[in-house]
Amino acid sequence: MYKTILTGRVTKDVETVPAEDGTSRVNFTVATPKEFKDKVTGKVESDFVRCTAFSNLVKYISEFVKKGDLVGITGRYNHYNYEKDGEKRYGMNLNVQTIEKLQNAPKKDMF
């Protein structure tokens, strides 16, 4: 068994998706900065991780996690494939097991 741990900022407001069986899930993306800068621009690059949470996490995340918040997440990656325009494609999603809100989004008038 493996576990992924990441820290990053939520890139947009959380999307709640109802399922046919009456349950819901939430989808969101977290930007995690890399440990190095781009050699040309000097800017820190980020990875964007798609996350999905189910069951008891749905209510907490949908109510309290917002765009710009810094979160700590543990979870497991789910790999999937699909076909688009006759071409086979692959994707990866982090299924959230735990989440902790570490910091609210910075206020725009702070700077």
Side-chain angles (χ1 to χ4, degrees):
M1 181 155 103
Y2 66 91
K3 183 182 283 192
T4 301
I5 302 170
L6 64 86
T7 302
R9 292 212 178 263
V10 178
T11 61
K12 61 182 178 179
D13 285 330
V14 174
E15 172 191 21
T16 302
V17 181
E20 291 179 13
D21 64 0
T23 62
S24 297
R25 72 174 192 266
V26 289
N27 296 325
F28 58 100
T29 302
V30 174
T32 59
K34 295 182 179 179
E35 294 182 9
F36 55 87
K37 294 181 180 182
D38 182 273
K39 292 179 182 178
V40 177
T41 64
K43 293 183 180 181
V44 175
E45 294 182 351
S46 295
D47 287 322
F48 294 87
V49 180
R50 289 186 303 229
C51 301
T52 301
F54 301 92
S55 64
N56 60 339
L57 292 174
V58 171
K59 184 174 181 180
Y60 172 79
I61 293 171
S62 63
E63 287 183 22
F64 298 108
V65 176
K66 305 295 179 211
K67 177 182 177 179
D69 289 347
L70 182 66
V71 293
I73 297 174
T74 63
R76 296 187 58 168
Y77 275 108
N78 177 40
H79 302 271
Y80 59 91
N81 57 57
Y82 61 98
E83 198 168 306
K84 183 176 181 180
D85 300 327
E87 185 178 327
K88 193 166 191 172
R89 298 182 181 232
Y90 301 92
M92 197 165 52
N93 193 65
L94 186 70
N95 287 339
V96 177
Q97 294 171 326
T98 65
I99 185 168
E100 184 175 346
K101 188 171 173 180
L102 304 174
Q103 184 181 64
N104 287 335
K107 295 190 187 318
K108 295 186 185 222
D109 59 348
M110 287 180 63
F111 301 101

